[in-house]
C-alpha cells in the first residue's frame, strides 16, 4: 500500500527473520489446530461402540440336517452355514490345489475337526452379490457349491472360487464352537 | 470498552443462571465429589461399589435403558466379570425361526435388564408411581449429584403439622416433600467386595457416583481433552497476538 | 465496489485465463485482500467475522449430527443419547453444536449492541442493518427448532408454548396452529418438519449473510468515530491487518467457547431436557434458552395474549426501523454524551428483561418486567427520535487519520481501545 510503503520500518535482516519465524510458527500451529479439529469428525464415521459390540452372532445349528444349509446374519451380512454330506466333503478335499484360482485346502476352511460344517460369508468376492445355492430350489453352480447370478461366479462345496470373475474364495469368518450344536460367529 | 465486556459478562451470569429449582424443596446438601472441577475423575472403587448398590437395590424398580453391560468395562470390570454379570439375567429375544419370542441369557452387548416391560407395568406394580429411568438422572436434575445424595439420605419423620399422603414418604429434598419411593437404602443391604462398611451414607455416595458416570460416561475424556485444547488455544492466542502486534506495528 | 480499492493486476497466464472467464481473483483480491478498511476499528469489530465462523462451525457439526440423528418421536431422544455414548466423538460434536448456539447468540448480541453504540445502522447502512435483523430472526427460528430435536421435556413444552403463540392470531389462529403441528398437538409430524427446517434455515442464513456482506462492502465498515473515510490515509488494506486481527479474535473466543464445551457443557442448558418428552406432564418451570429470555419477558409482561405476542414480535421489528427512529446526524456515541448514557441504560434494561424472563411471572418480577418492557420501546420510539433533535453533540474530528494521530485527546474517548 502506498501509504505504508513510505514508513515501512527499517527492520534489520535479523528482525525480518524473527518476524518470518513468528508468522510461520503461528500459521503452522493454526494448521495443526484445524487438522486436529477435523479428526473427531472423520472418526465419527467409523463404526460406533454399539455397532462394534454387536459384531458377534450366536447360532444354534442342531436343527440343520445333513445336506441342508441356513443363512444367518452377521455384521449385517449373510453367513452361509452348510451341513455337508460325506460326498461333498470328499469332493472338496479331493480337488487338487493347482486347479484353484485361490488355492486353499478344504481342511483350512471347514470347521476344525468337524469337516461336515462349512461356514462362509455369503458375499461374492467379485462385487458383493449374494450367491445362490442355499435353498434346494436354487442352483448350486457347476461345482455343487454356490453360484452367483450377478456375473456368473461358481463356487465349490468348500466355497472356493472355481470359475467366473470373482478373484477370491468366499471368506471364512472366525467361528467358535460353544457346544457341538451351537456356534459363535465373530 | 472494559465496561462493555464486564456488562456483557454480568448479563450472561445473571441471565444464564438456571431457573429456580422447585421452590418447595430444600436445597441439596453439598458434597465433595471426585468428579468435580476441571481435573475431576471418577473413583473406580466408588463406581464399582455403586454399581453393586444399583444392581442389588435400585434395579428392582428402576431401569437404566441407556446402559449396556459392556459399558461396565469403562468402570474397571474385566471382560469375564462383565460376561458373568450379564449371565445373571435372562432377556427376551426373537422371534426365532418358529416366530416365537424366547428368553436367553444376557450377553455383554445387551442393555441392562429392565425390571418392568413398560411404563404401565411399572406403575401397576408401584401403586401408580413410575420409577424413573436412572441413566440420565444426574444430568436431568438441577445439582444432580448433590440432589440424589441428599434425597437418598434425607428420609426422616415428617415435621409436626406436615401430613404425608397414604403410601407416601416424607423427604424434604423431593419437590413437594412427599415421595412414593420408600427409603431405599438400609445399612448393610449389600456387602462390598473391598470390605467398605455399607452404611447408608456410603451406599448413597457410591451409587450417586455410579449414576454420575452413567449419565456422563464421556466426562473423563472430555475434561482431559479440554485441558489439552485450552492449553493449545491459549498458546495459539498468544502467538497470534504477537503476530498481530508485529503486523500492526507500522500503522500506529 | 468499495471505493478507492487499487486495481488487481495478474501476471500468471493461467490466472488471467480464468479471470477473463470468471473474475474470481480480482473479486478475492478486492474483497479479502485490498479491501480498504478504516484503520481505527476496535475489537468490537471482530464480532462480525466471529459470528461468521460460528455459523460455519454450527453447519459442520450440525451436518455430522444429522448423520446420526433420527427424527421420530420414538427414537429422537435415544438417538441423541446414542450420539453421546456410542458414536466416536459424538459427545464432542453435540456439545460443540449445543453450546455453539449460545456462543452464536452471545456474539451476535455483542455485534448488535456495537452497531447501536456506534450508530452503524445509519445512512448509508440501513439495508445492511435490516439484513442483520433478518439474520437475527432466522437465527431465532433455527435455534428454536433445533432445541425441539432432542425431544426432551423442554423440547416438547417449548415447542408447544411457542407454536401456541400463533393461536393469538384473530379468527384463523387455531387453524394455523393445527396446520403448523400437522396434528392436534406437537407430535411426530411437527418433529419431522422442524428437523427439515432446522437443516434448511442455516443455509438461508448463509444466503442473507452474503447479502449482508455485499451491503457492507458497498460503503465499507463504520468505525468507532462514526465518520466517513476521507481518503486513502484513513484506510488500511483488510489483509494482513484485519485478517490477523480476526484470527487472534477467533483464537481468544475459542478459549471461551472450549471452556463451556469441555468443562460446563450443560451450564447454559436446562436439566429437564434430559428427561424424555412426556405429553402428559408439563415441567414445573418452563423457561426458554437464555437467549430468548428478554423477549419471553416482554411476552409475559402483557396480560393480553394477542398483545403479548404482538409486543414480542414488535420488539424485534422496532430494531429494523431504528435507522429512521434515530434522528441524530452523528453516528458514534463517542460524540453523543447523552446518548452514551442512555445506551447503557438500554443495555441494562435488556439484561433486566433477560433476568425477569427466567423468574416466575408473578409479583415483583411482573412489575419489573412491565417497566423494563415499556422502557425498551420508549428507548426506540421516544428517546431516539427526540434525542437526535435536542442533543448537543461534541465536535467531530476532521478525519479518521487526524483523530488516530492525535490519540489521547478527550475527543476520541471510547474509540480506539487497543494499544498501538
Amino acid at each position: 500500500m502506498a501509504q505504508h510503503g513510505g514508513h515501512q520500518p527499517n527492520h534489520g535482516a535479523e528482525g525480518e527473520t524473527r518476524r518470518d519465524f513468528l508468522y510461520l510458527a503461528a500459521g503452522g500451529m493454526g494448521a495443526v489446530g484445524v487438522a486436529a479439529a477435523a479428526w473427531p469428525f472423520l472418526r465419527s464415521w467409523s463404526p460406533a461402540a454399539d455397532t462394534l459390540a454387536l459384531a458377534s452372532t450366536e447360532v444354534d445349528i442342531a436343527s440343520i440336517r445333513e445336506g441342508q444349509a441356513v443363512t444367518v446374519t452377521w455384521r449385517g451380512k449373510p453367513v452361509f452355514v452348510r451341513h455337508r454330506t460325506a460326498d461333498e466333503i470328499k469332493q472338496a478335499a479331493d480337488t487338487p490345489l493347482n486347479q484353484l484360482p485361490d488355492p486353499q485346502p478344504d481342511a483350512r476352511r471347514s470347521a476344525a475337526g468337524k469337516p461336515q460344517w462349512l461356514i462362509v460369508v455369503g458375499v461374492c468376492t467379485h462385487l458383493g452379490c449374494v450367491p445362490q445355492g442355499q435353498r434346494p430350489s436354487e442352483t448350486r453352480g457347476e461345482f455343487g457349491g454356490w453360484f452367483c447370478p450377478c456375473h456368473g461366479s461358481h463356487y465349490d462345496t468348500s466355497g472356493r472360487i472355481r470359475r467366473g470373475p470373482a478373484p477370491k474364495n468366499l471368506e471364512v469368518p472366525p467361528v467358535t464352537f460353544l457346544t457341538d450344536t451351537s456356534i459363535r460367529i465373530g | 470498552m472494559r465496561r462493555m465486556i464486564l456488562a456483557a459478562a454480568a448479563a450472561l451470569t445473571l441471565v444464564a443462571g438456571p431457573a429456580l429449582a422447585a421452590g418447595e424443596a430444600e436445597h441439596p446438601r453439598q458434597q465433595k465429589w471426585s468428579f468435580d472441577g476441571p481435573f475431576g475423575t471418577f473413583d473406580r472403587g466408588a463406581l464399582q461399589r455403586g454399581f453393586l448398590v444399583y444392581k442389588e437395590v435400585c434395579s428392582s424398580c428402576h431401569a437404566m435403558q441407556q446402559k449396556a453391560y459392556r459399558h461396565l468395562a469403562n468402570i474397571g470390570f474385566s471382560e469375564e466379570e462383565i460376561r458373568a454379570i450379564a449371565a445373571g439375567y435372562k432377556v427376551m429375544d426373537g422371534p426365532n425361526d418358529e416366530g416365537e419370542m424366547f428368553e436367553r441369557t444376557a450377553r455383554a452387548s445387551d442393555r441392562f435388564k429392565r425390571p418392568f416391560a413398560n411404563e404401565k407395568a411399572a406403575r401397576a406394580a408401584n401403586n401408580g408411581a413410575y420409577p424413573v429411568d436412572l441413566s440420565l438422572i444426574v444430568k436431568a436434575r438441577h445439582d444432580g449429584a448433590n440432589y440424589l445424595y441428599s434425597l437418598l439420605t434425607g428420609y426422616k419423620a415428617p415435621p409436626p403439622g406436615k401430613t404425608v399422603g397414604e403410601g407416601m414418604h416424607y423427604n424434604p429434598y423431593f419437590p413437594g416433600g412427599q415421595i412414593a419411593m420408600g427409603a431405599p437404602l438400609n445399612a448393610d443391604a449389600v456387602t462390598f467386595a473391598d470390605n467398605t462398611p455399607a452404611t447408608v451414607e456410603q451406599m448413597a455416595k457410591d451409587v450417586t457416583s455410579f449414576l454420575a458416570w452413567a449419565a456422563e460416561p464421556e466426562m473423563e475424556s472430555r475434561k482431559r481433552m479440554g485441558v489439552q485444547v485450552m492449553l493449545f488455544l491459549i498458546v495459539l492466542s498468544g502467538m497470534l497476538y504477537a503476530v498481530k502486534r508485529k503486523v500492526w506495528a507500522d500503522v500506529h | 465496489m468499495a471505493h478507492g480499492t487499487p486495481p488487481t493486476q495478474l501476471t500468471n497466464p493461467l490466472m488471467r485465463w480464468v479471470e477473463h472467464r470468471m473474475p474470481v481473483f480480482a473479486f478475492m483480491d478486492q474483497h479479502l485482500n485490498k479491501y480498504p478498511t478504516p484503520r481505527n476499528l476496535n475489537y468490537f469489530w471482530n464480532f462480525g467475522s466471529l459470528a461468521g465462523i460460528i455459523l460455519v462451525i454450527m453447519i459442520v457439526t450440525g451436518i455430522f449430527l444429522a448423520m446420526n440423528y433420527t427424527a421420530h418421536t420414538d427414537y429422537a431422544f435415544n438417538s441423541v443419547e446414542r450420539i453421546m455414548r456410542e458414536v466416536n466423538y459424538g459427545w464432542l460434536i453435540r456439545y460443540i453444536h449445543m453450546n455453539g448456539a449460545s456462543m452464536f447468540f452471545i456474539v451476535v448480541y455483542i455485534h448488535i449492541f456495537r452497531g447501536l453504540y456506534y450508530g452503524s445502522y445509519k445512512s448509508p447502512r440501513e439495508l445492511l442493518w435490516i439484513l442483520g435483523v433478518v439474520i437475527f430472526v432466522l437465527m431465532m427460528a433455527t435455534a428454536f427448532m433445533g432445541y425441539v430435536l432432542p425431544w426432551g421435556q423442554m423440547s416438547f413444552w417449548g415447542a408447544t408454548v411457542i407454536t401456541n403463540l400463533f393461536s393469538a392470531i384473530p379468527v384463523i389462529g387455531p387453524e394455523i396452529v393445527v396446520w403448523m403441528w400437522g396434528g392436534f398437538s406437537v407430535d411426530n409430524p411437527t418433529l419431522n418438519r422442524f428437523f427439515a427446517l432446522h437443516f434448511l434455515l442455516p443455509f438461508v442464513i448463509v444466503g442473507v449473510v452474503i447479502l449482508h456482506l455485499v451491503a457492507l462492502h458497498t460503503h465499507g465498515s463504520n468505525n468507532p468515530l462514526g465518520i466517513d473515510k476521507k481518503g486513502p490515509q484513513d484506510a488500511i488494506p483488510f489483509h494482513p491487518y484485519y485478517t490477523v486481527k480476526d484470527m487472534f479474535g477467533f483464537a481468544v473466543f475459542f478459549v471461551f467457547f472450549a471452556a463451556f464445551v469441555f468443562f460446563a457443557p450443560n451450564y447454559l442448558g436446562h436439566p429437564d431436557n434430559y428427561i424424555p418428552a412426556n405429553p402428559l406432564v408439563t415441567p414445573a418451570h418452563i423457561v426458554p434458552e437464555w437467549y430468548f429470555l428478554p423477549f419471553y419477558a416482554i411476552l409475559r409482561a402483557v396480560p393480553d395474549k394477542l398483545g403479548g405476542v404482538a409486543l414480542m414480535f414488535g420488539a424485534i421489528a422496532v430494531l429494523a426501523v431504528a435507522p429512521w427512529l434515530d434522528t441524530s446526524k452523528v453516528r458514534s456515541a463517542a460524540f453523543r454524551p447523552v446518548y452514551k448514557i442512555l445506551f447503557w441504560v438500554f443495555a441494562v434494561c435488556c439484561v433486566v428483561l433477560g433476568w425477569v424472563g427466567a423468574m416466575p411471572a408473578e409479583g415483583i418480577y411482573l412489575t419489573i418486567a412491565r417497566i423494563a418492557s415499556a422502557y425498551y420501546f420508549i428507548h426506540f420510539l421516544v428517546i431516539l427520535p427526540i434525542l437526535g433533535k435536542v442533543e448537543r453533540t461534541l465536535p467531530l474530528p476532521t478525519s479518521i487519520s487526524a483523530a488516530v494521530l492525535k490519540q489521547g485527546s478527550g475527543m476520541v474517548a471510547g474509540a480506539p481501545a487497543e494499544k498501538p
Side-chain angles (χ1 to χ4, degrees):
Chain A
M1 297 290 59
Q3 68 268 36
H4 298 110
H7 50 99
Q8 194 66 255
N10 15 334
H11 294 301
E14 197 186 317
E16 202 95 321
T17 324
R18 222 178 40 222
R19 194 178 60 179
D20 287 349
F21 173 73
L22 188 62
Y23 292 177
L24 217 63
M29 209 168 162
V32 168
V34 170
W39 174 247
F41 291 89
L42 299 176
R43 190 77 178 86
S44 77
W45 273 22
S46 306
D50 56 346
T51 311
L52 293 174
L54 288 178
S56 71
T57 306
E58 283 174 28
V59 188
D60 181 15
I61 54 172
S63 59
I64 309 173
R65 286 191 308 271
E66 196 175 294
Q68 274 194 333
V70 299
T71 308
V72 297
T73 315
W74 173 63
R75 293 184 175 177
K77 292 181 285 195
V79 170
F80 298 157
V81 182
R82 185 180 280 193
H83 192 166
R84 299 188 293 185
T85 60
D87 203 30
E88 285 171 335
I89 299 168
K90 189 171 180 323
Q91 239 186 60
D94 290 351
T95 308
L97 289 187
N98 59 15
Q99 286 186 17
L100 299 171
D102 179 14
Q104 258 183 333
D106 183 58
R108 294 236 329 265
R109 298 178 51 79
S110 54
K114 298 185 174 66
Q116 69 271 36
W117 292 109
L118 178 72
I119 297 142
V120 290
V121 176
V123 174
C124 180
T125 56
H126 179 220
L127 290 171
C129 296
V130 177
Q132 296 193 338
Q134 284 294 91
R135 269 177 285 163
S137 58
E138 291 176 353
T139 170
R140 288 188 164 187
E142 279 180 38
F143 298 88
W146 291 272
F147 170 70
C148 182
C150 290
H151 305 95
S153 292
H154 297 259
Y155 295 92
D156 67 11
T157 56
S158 187
R160 293 173 298 201
I161 181 65
R162 298 300 288 274
R163 186 189 310 153
K168 290 209 168 306
N169 302 333
L170 292 177
E171 184 195 340
V172 177
V175 173
T176 322
F177 273 76
L178 301 171
T179 66
D180 270 354
T181 60
S182 141
I183 56 169
R184 186 174 66 214
I185 307 170
Chain B
M1 291 318 114
R2 200 170 183 160
R3 272 178 308 166
M4 228 169 175
I5 293 163
L6 282 179
L12 260 182
T13 23
L14 270 180
V15 169
L20 284 184
E24 326 83 75
E26 241 174 73
H27 269 289
R29 277 170 293 142
Q30 302 296 305
Q31 301 294 308
K32 271 196 94 64
W33 300 101
S34 69
F35 47 86
D36 283 339
F39 301 101
T41 52
F42 292 117
D43 168 357
R44 289 289 176 286
L47 294 184
Q48 296 193 8
R49 290 195 299 272
F51 170 67
L52 186 71
V53 176
Y54 169 75
K55 181 169 168 273
E56 301 294 326
V57 183
C58 319
S59 71
S60 54
C61 296
H62 291 277
M64 289 184 82
Q65 280 195 56
Q66 308 294 345
K67 303 309 282 183
Y69 296 110
R70 67 190 153 85
H71 290 148
L72 294 172
N74 202 312
I75 65 174
F77 285 105
S78 71
E79 212 171 304
E80 287 80 59
E81 287 170 317
I82 292 170
R83 213 172 295 143
I85 291 166
Y89 297 92
K90 294 268 183 223
V91 293
M92 265 306 183
D93 200 349
N96 61 14
D97 292 344
E98 282 77 48
E100 310 282 338
M101 300 302 281
F102 60 93
E103 274 203 332
R104 62 163 171 79
T105 307
R107 297 196 276 257
S109 59
D110 285 313
R111 298 287 175 103
F112 283 8
K113 179 164 169 81
R114 333 163 51 164
F116 304 103
N118 50 54
E119 185 181 334
K120 292 248 163 63
R123 283 189 190 277
N126 287 283
N127 279 326
Y130 177 50
V132 293
D133 188 282
L134 295 181
S135 330
L136 278 158
I137 196 76
V138 172
K139 265 163 120 179
R141 295 291 180 276
H142 179 57
D143 198 9
N146 290 316
Y147 165 77
L148 271 188
Y149 176 80
S150 303
L151 185 83
L152 289 172
T153 56
Y155 284 88
K156 53 184 168 190
K162 172 99 187 167
T163 49
V164 174
E166 171 142 9
M168 302 295 275
H169 308 269
Y170 178 71
N171 193 319
Y173 299 100
F174 193 72
Q178 308 188 32
I179 182 167
M181 172 174 76
L185 299 175
N186 299 302
D188 298 317
V190 299
T191 310
F192 291 130
D194 59 1
N195 295 324
T196 307
T199 61
V200 171
E201 285 74 20
Q202 185 68 43
M203 288 189 285
K205 191 133 197 194
D206 289 343
V207 80
T208 301
S209 298
F210 170 72
L211 292 173
W213 164 78
E216 299 193 291
E218 89 297 343
M219 189 212 70
E220 288 178 341
S221 39
R222 166 159 60 76
K223 287 178 175 173
R224 204 178 326 113
M225 190 192 286
V227 171
Q228 294 162 352
V229 169
M230 295 289 268
L231 286 176
F232 177 87
L233 285 173
I234 288 168
V235 172
L236 181 65
S237 301
M239 290 179 76
L240 285 169
Y241 183 64
V243 171
K244 190 250 162 196
R245 284 194 50 142
K246 287 264 190 226
V247 168
W248 280 74
D250 53 355
V251 173
H252 292 300
Chain C
M1 247 190 319
H3 19 246
T5 316
T8 303
Q9 254 119 42
L10 295 171
T11 44
N12 183 315
L14 180 63
M15 286 166 85
R16 291 172 79 127
W17 186 91
V18 172
E19 190 70 10
H20 183 62
R21 283 146 186 88
M22 185 175 67
V24 280
F25 297 112
F27 181 83
M28 293 197 304
D29 184 52
Q30 303 282 307
H31 290 283
L32 291 170
N33 184 23
K34 287 178 187 155
Y35 174 58
T37 313
R39 55 193 301 159
N40 62 335
L41 299 187
N42 61 33
Y43 276 108
F44 284 103
W45 265 262
N46 276 50
F47 286 84
S49 63
L50 264 176
I53 193 82
I54 296 175
L55 176 60
V56 171
I57 291 172
M58 292 303 279
I59 288 177
V60 171
T61 50
I63 287 171
F64 276 82
L65 288 175
M67 292 169 185
N68 286 297
Y69 171 75
T70 310
H72 186 288
T73 49
D74 291 348
Y75 304 108
F77 188 89
N78 287 333
S79 74
V80 171
E81 277 309 310
R82 182 176 174 274
I83 291 171
M84 296 297 292
R85 292 158 190 276
E86 310 291 349
V87 175
N88 300 300
Y89 294 109
W91 60 267
L92 176 62
I93 298 173
R94 172 161 182 258
Y95 276 157
I96 293 176
H97 197 74
M98 204 172 112
N99 286 284
S102 285
M103 296 302 128
F104 206 172
F105 277 96
I106 290 172
V107 165
V108 163
Y109 279 134
I110 294 174
H111 190 60
I112 292 173
F113 275 91
R114 190 267 286 150
L116 289 172
Y117 187 84
Y118 294 111
S120 300
Y121 48 86
K122 291 185 197 182
S123 174
R125 297 186 182 83
E126 301 95 324
L127 209 48
L128 171 62
W129 174 260
I130 289 173
L131 287 165
V133 175
V134 172
I135 293 170
F136 179 50
V137 171
L138 288 170
M139 272 175 66
M140 296 211 285
T142 311
F144 159 66
M145 292 188 205
Y147 195 58
V148 176
L149 303 184
W151 210 241
Q153 272 291 64
M154 280 293 162
S155 300
F156 182 87
W157 291 101
T160 300
V161 168
I162 300 298
T163 47
N164 265 316
L165 291 181
F166 293 88
S167 68
I169 299 169
V171 190
I172 53 164
E175 292 343 279
I176 289 194
V177 174
V178 169
W179 172 77
M180 285 171 62
W181 287 340
F184 303 100
S185 63
V186 173
D187 208 337
N188 200 47
T190 329
L191 178 61
N192 264 295
R193 60 190 65 175
F194 278 16
F195 179 53
L197 289 175
H198 182 71
F199 206 118
L200 168 73
L201 286 183
F203 297 98
V204 178
I205 292 178
V206 169
V208 185
V209 165
I210 291 170
L211 296 180
H212 192 66
L213 289 174
V214 170
L216 173 70
H217 281 223
T218 306
H219 289 281
S221 293
N222 183 31
N223 65 79
L225 297 172
I227 57 176
D228 290 328
K229 295 193 293 273
K230 298 275 162 32
Q233 72 282 3
D234 287 345
I236 45 177
F238 191 77
H239 180 76
Y241 296 104
Y242 286 107
T243 41
V244 72
K245 197 174 171 183
D246 279 347
M247 288 299 156
F248 171 55
F250 289 172
V252 172
F253 190 77
F254 288 164
V255 173
F256 177 74
F257 192 168
F260 278 97
V261 168
F262 292 104
F263 301 112
N266 294 301
Y267 180 73
L268 297 169
H270 197 290
D272 279 38
N273 223 27
Y274 285 109
I275 304 171
N278 181 351
L280 304 180
V281 183
T282 310
H285 295 284
I286 62 167
V287 276
E289 291 288 83
W290 70 266
Y291 37 83
F292 290 137
L293 288 173
F295 299 99
Y296 191 57
I298 293 175
L299 170 78
R300 296 192 306 176
V302 186
D304 174 64
K305 186 171 175 183
L306 177 60
V309 174
L311 215 60
M312 186 181 72
F313 286 109
I316 303 164
V318 76
L319 271 177
V321 291
W324 293 277
L325 294 172
D326 187 348
T327 51
S328 175
K329 294 275 173 283
V330 175
R331 292 198 190 103
S332 174
F335 305 105
R336 300 183 62 190
V338 182
Y339 177 72
K340 191 192 255 177
I341 296 165
L342 292 175
F343 167 85
W344 286 108
V345 174
F346 175 71
V348 169
C349 168
C350 291
V351 173
V352 168
L353 278 173
W355 169 64
V356 287
M359 296 293 146
E362 55 199 28
I364 183 73
Y365 298 124
L366 198 55
T367 315
I368 296 172
R370 287 185 176 152
I371 295 170
S373 302
Y375 186 79
Y376 182 96
F377 285 96
I378 288 171
H379 178 84
F380 284 104
L381 300 175
V382 180
I383 292 176
L384 285 189
I386 295 176
L387 190 63
K389 304 271 190 224
V390 302
E391 188 176 28
R392 281 175 63 103
T393 55
L394 304 176
L396 295 175
T398 49
S399 76
I400 294 173
S401 51
V404 170
L405 294 179
K406 259 195 287 174
Q407 208 168 40
S409 77
M411 210 169 61
V412 285
E418 80 214 8
K419 283 266 202 267

